Amino acid sequence: MPTTTAPETLLLAYVADQYRATYRDEHARIARAVALVEAGNVTLLPDGTATVRSQKGQATYTVAEGRCNCFDLTAKVACKHALARTLARKVACLRRRARYVAYLDAVTGEQVHGIAWPSLDGGSLWYAPDEDVYAERLRTVRLEELVLFGHLEA
């Protein structure tokens, strides 16, 4: 059962999509890394390292600077543990920068509540409505289309 919150789920879906677009041959590994993050198996530590609990059994792996102490040395990108650490760090970074917003729908004139965050490259803003917990209706928006309410984290 996922232990991420709705905003974290949206941000994780966005980050994972960016990775899938970049690493087209690693979709299965990315999916396993996403499952680790969703299950709450990744603990980010203040020194930049992470501990990642195994999906099977009680094993815990340490990931530091993209290197993991597991036995998966065949990965082109990284093992699923190192990739899970990277995804979790990017989600945490985006969460700090995300805002609760209302999107001003140009057609209906209604305000649709959701969250917005800057793209990973910083070139655009992404928006997802509150009810879109699986990031199916992500869209890029302009800042002037939003009413900003505040940070996700108090």
Side-chain angles (χ1 to χ4, degrees):
M1 177 164 188
T3 59
T4 54
T5 65
E8 288 166 338
T9 301
L10 286 169
L11 295 172
L12 180 58
Y14 165 74
V15 172
D17 282 347
Q18 303 302 305
Y19 269 74
R20 280 190 284 275
T22 303
Y23 302 106
R24 297 185 190 282
D25 296 335
E26 297 289 340
H27 285 213
R29 188 178 309 275
I30 293 167
R32 290 191 299 273
V34 167
L36 286 168
V37 176
E38 284 181 331
N41 289 8
V42 180
T43 302
L44 298 174
L45 302 173
D47 65 359
T49 63
T51 57
V52 182
R53 283 191 325 273
S54 173
Q55 290 172 304
K56 304 172 191 170
Q58 299 298 319
T60 300
Y61 301 98
T62 302
V63 183
E65 297 179 18
R67 299 180 189 264
C68 180
N69 64 344
C70 76
F71 299 103
D72 187 2
L73 301 176
T74 62
K76 291 179 188 175
V77 177
C79 68
K80 67 182 177 183
H81 311 108
L83 189 52
R85 171 194 171 260
T86 300
L87 294 175
R89 285 184 59 158
K90 289 189 181 297
V91 167
C93 179
L94 288 176
R95 184 174 170 82
R96 287 190 297 274
R97 299 171 66 199
R99 304 288 185 271
Y100 286 113
V101 299
Y103 172 72
L104 302 175
D105 189 304
V107 175
T108 65
E110 294 180 14
Q111 289 188 357
V112 182
H113 292 261
I115 64 169
W117 62 91
S119 63
L120 290 176
D121 65 10
S124 58
L125 286 171
W126 284 87
Y127 163 80
D130 280 342
E131 70 277 1
D132 186 18
V133 295
Y134 295 108
E136 295 170 347
R137 295 186 355 205
L138 291 179
R139 69 176 85 176
T140 58
V141 295
R142 296 184 322 272
L143 184 59
E144 55 271 8
E145 295 176 300
L146 302 174
V147 175
L148 302 177
F149 293 122
H151 296 280
L152 297 181
E153 298 179 356

